Amino acid sequence: MDKRAVLVARDVAPSDCFNLLGPVLKERGFGVDLIIGNGKPLAKTMEEIALAASRANVVVLGMSSSAELARPEIVAGKAARNAGVPYGFYGDMLRCWARARPGAWFEELASSAAFYLGVTHRDADGAREVFPNAKLFCTGNPLREEMAFPRFTREEVRAKLGVVPGDRLVIAPCGKFAAGNMALWTVLMEAISFLVDANGFVMKKDGPRLQLVLATHPGDRTPYAVDAETKKEMKLYEELVSLSPVPARIVGKDVFPIHDLVAGADIIVQFDSSAWVAGAYRGVPVVSLGLEVLFRRYEKAVGSRALEAVEDGVSEFVMADARKLAEAIQRLLTITGFITMRALQHELYPMPTERGMALRKIADALAQI
């Protein structure tokens, strides 16, 4: 093999993408060094990462979500630049490129980047703002594409979760920010309390029972928190779940990854989880619940408060107000209340005709570098 690609990522999303990309590149004749953390610290030292990048023919960097988490990617990018190796970035979400804007953690690498791989044409074009000398490609997001192909049926997911026929399943996926997760889940549980009676049934004649799943992010360390004094698990989320007005449970990636979990859902309530993409593919109504603390964190990361799903009309926005959220949930669980959103989901997020298209586009792009 005369071409070597080094793929470096710390966060879960780009790591998962690079895991899928590696075999595709090998089929194209690349040797592949996969240096990923899957949301955890990398096994290789910074010196080893720098050496691998300096010896590559092309280096692909994920865009992890903070300066601290992105350190391996920054080290690899600097080593590639210093060695004259072309490098660029894979952006796994809308405006991910803003992590290289002035003042952000990838700024130093922006002007020398050879390419940027964006999720949409509009997003790739927008990346010119921070990558003036890069080739811009719309490759899509392979993980989004995979969300169209869950491993389990609706019935299998619901059976494993103990959701009986006739119940409505509300899933609430969250991010890595524990305080934001708890705030969002609290507002959601308060909203549900307005909808149900003491047994969890919707308060109207023959209304269905609601069940709730709180889905943790793979990069969230809160479920593993231990009391420094007693050394016992703190179970912070479990305490909150115990106060739910309807049957509720916490589900992590070890039980169901989010795109599998969505297959069993009747409605999704989230801020900006990727679950809305799976919902759009599968015709599940989505509510984007806005909290100011989450918006501030989001704006700091991407330089904007605009939520892609809301802009596209495939999610209904509700600012943190439990009664308005209750009204939105109740309406979207009806056929007439969901019809407009469903039409936009079908138009903007049609089911992919073939699997692996995004991976092939990334491989095609790298072959041009």
Side-chain angles (χ1 to χ4, degrees):
M1 297 181 181
D2 58 353
K3 299 177 290 184
R4 179 152 296 277
V6 173
L7 315 178
V8 186
R10 168 67 160 78
D11 275 1
V12 172
S15 294
D16 285 347
C17 172
F18 292 169
N19 256 325
L20 298 173
L21 179 61
V24 177
L25 291 178
K26 288 178 181 178
E27 290 176 358
R28 301 290 186 93
F30 283 89
V32 177
D33 284 345
L34 197 59
I35 306 174
I36 58 176
N38 296 299
K40 300 177 181 179
L42 277 68
K44 290 185 179 294
T45 66
M46 295 301 162
E47 291 75 17
E48 290 171 328
I49 294 170
L51 182 62
S54 67
R55 293 177 174 177
N57 296 103
V58 63
V59 175
V60 188
L61 307 173
M63 302 193 79
S64 290
S65 53
S66 71
E68 179 183 357
L69 296 175
R71 188 170 171 237
E73 294 141 319
I74 294 170
V75 166
K78 288 180 177 179
R81 181 188 60 192
N82 294 342
V85 176
Y87 68 89
F89 295 90
Y90 162 68
D92 63 276
M93 57 181 283
L94 190 71
R95 289 185 59 86
C96 203
W97 47 263
R99 295 172 181 177
R101 71 189 188 281
W105 45 99
F106 289 112
E107 176 188 6
E108 186 179 349
L109 296 171
S111 63
S112 300
F115 59 91
Y116 180 76
L117 311 171
V119 292
T120 66
H121 284 291
R122 181 183 63 183
D123 188 52
D125 290 343
R128 179 67 66 199
E129 180 180 326
V130 296
F131 297 123
N133 301 308
K135 289 185 177 180
L136 306 176
F137 298 93
C138 169
T139 58
N141 180 328
L143 302 185
R144 287 188 174 187
E145 184 183 283
E146 282 295 303
M147 288 183 180
F149 304 97
R151 295 174 300 165
F152 305 100
T153 65
R154 174 178 170 85
E155 292 70 27
E156 288 171 334
V157 171
R158 293 167 72 88
K160 186 167 183 177
L161 296 175
V163 181
V164 301
D167 283 8
R168 299 294 183 90
L169 180 60
V170 183
I171 69 166
C174 278
K176 304 173 188 176
F177 181 36
N181 296 343
M182 289 184 174
L184 187 147
W185 288 339
T186 299
V187 174
L188 172 57
M189 287 193 290
E190 186 174 350
I192 289 175
S193 72
F194 292 139
L195 295 176
V196 299
D197 62 19
N199 297 309
F201 290 90
V202 175
M203 289 185 283
K204 62 180 183 179
K205 186 177 181 181
D206 300 323
R209 188 173 74 157
L210 298 183
Q211 290 204 39
L212 176 62
V213 165
L214 307 178
T216 57
H217 189 283
D220 182 8
R221 308 310 297 164
T222 311
Y224 311 103
V226 174
D227 186 283
E229 185 174 332
T230 66
K231 308 302 180 185
K232 293 183 178 180
E233 294 181 359
M234 298 183 71
K235 297 186 180 296
L236 299 173
Y237 289 158
E238 284 80 357
E239 184 176 2
L240 180 61
V241 167
S242 71
L243 303 174
S244 173
V246 297
R249 63 180 294 179
I250 298 168
V251 172
K253 188 178 181 180
D254 57 324
V255 179
F256 283 119
I258 191 63
H259 65 281
D260 287 334
L261 183 60
V262 168
D266 291 293
I267 191 167
I268 301 165
V269 179
Q270 48 102 63
F271 174 68
D272 189 49
S273 161
S274 60
W276 68 263
V277 180
Y281 281 138
R282 301 194 63 80
V284 178
V286 182
V287 177
S288 294
L289 178 59
L291 292 91
E292 184 60 28
V293 67
L294 292 177
F295 270 120
R296 289 180 185 178
R297 195 167 187 269
Y298 180 80
E299 187 173 18
K300 184 178 180 181
V302 303
S304 171
R305 294 169 68 97
L307 301 176
E308 183 180 2
V310 176
E311 284 191 319
D312 285 350
V314 297
S315 177
E316 180 168 329
F317 177 73
V318 176
M319 198 62 189
D321 182 314
R323 288 197 180 277
K324 289 183 179 179
L325 177 58
E327 293 169 2
I329 291 172
Q330 191 165 32
R331 175 168 33 79
L332 288 170
L333 284 174
T334 67
I335 294 175
T336 54
F338 177 49
I339 192 167
T340 300
M341 184 186 296
R342 180 64 191 114
L344 284 169
Q345 289 177 336
H346 183 73
E347 176 187 350
L348 300 176
Y349 294 88
M351 290 289 286
T353 56
E354 55 180 307
R355 200 169 188 172
M357 185 179 301
L359 290 170
R360 290 191 290 274
K361 286 183 177 179
I362 293 176
D364 289 343
L366 297 181
Q368 298 179 40
I369 302 301

